[in-house]
Amino acid sequence: QVRLVESGGGLVQAGGSLRLSCAASGRTLSSADMGWFRQAPGKEREFVAAIKWTGDNTHYTDSVKGRFTISRDNAKNTVYLQMNSLKPEDTAIYVCAAKYYGLVFPTMNYDYWGQGTQVTVSS
């Protein structure tokens, strides 16, 4: 069983930055593709970014390309999402997810999910 815990969310002004962390316990993340998703009030959950277990392949939704960067530190069993040039429309609960031994990258079908961290961007 894997437990994923997100942190790093908060309130920031438009144009600001935040770095989210997703720490895992119970199992190493070194063989897991990792993803970040977000869900804004009244909207469906949306894919944001993913990183392959090897760390050498990443994928982003178009709206965050050039602003967000996903990375991982397998030694710390942690995945990060660096968010720059934040916009009010980035306001959402951000959730990380893990997919072990995935055959397809990126995937929208993850095995484990965290509880999320709130990101609020004021205009």
Side-chain angles (χ1 to χ4, degrees):
Q1 191 71 12
V2 177
R3 182 169 181 246
L4 302 175
V5 179
E6 301 90 341
S7 62
L11 174 63
V12 64
Q13 289 188 333
S17 298
L18 285 173
R19 188 176 82 154
L20 305 184
S21 298
C22 172
S25 60
R27 189 176 178 182
T28 178
L29 292 181
S30 60
S31 55
D33 297 338
M34 299 297 297
W36 283 97
F37 292 76
R38 65 187 179 187
Q39 187 165 17
K43 295 187 177 182
E44 293 188 354
R45 186 171 61 196
E46 173 191 26
F47 168 79
V48 176
I51 185 166
K52 195 170 175 62
W53 67 274
T54 54
D56 62 354
N57 196 348
T58 58
H59 184 71
Y60 300 91
T61 192
D62 286 346
S63 63
V64 307
K65 285 180 181 177
R67 300 190 298 123
F68 290 11
T69 302
I70 188 171
S71 62
R72 64 193 301 155
D73 185 338
N74 287 341
K76 294 183 178 180
N77 227 25
T78 301
V79 176
Y80 304 98
L81 185 67
Q82 178 67 44
M83 305 186 298
N84 299 329
S85 301
L86 282 161
K87 304 175 181 180
E89 51 263 44
D90 294 319
T91 294
I93 295 174
Y94 284 72
V95 180
C96 69
K99 173 67 176 179
Y100 284 87
Y101 308 111
L103 299 178
V104 176
F105 179 84
T107 179
M108 299 297 115
N109 181 23
Y110 286 81
D111 301 318
Y112 301 98
W113 296 83
Q115 293 298 309
T117 185
Q118 176 71 48
V119 171
T120 303
V121 185
S122 63
S123 57

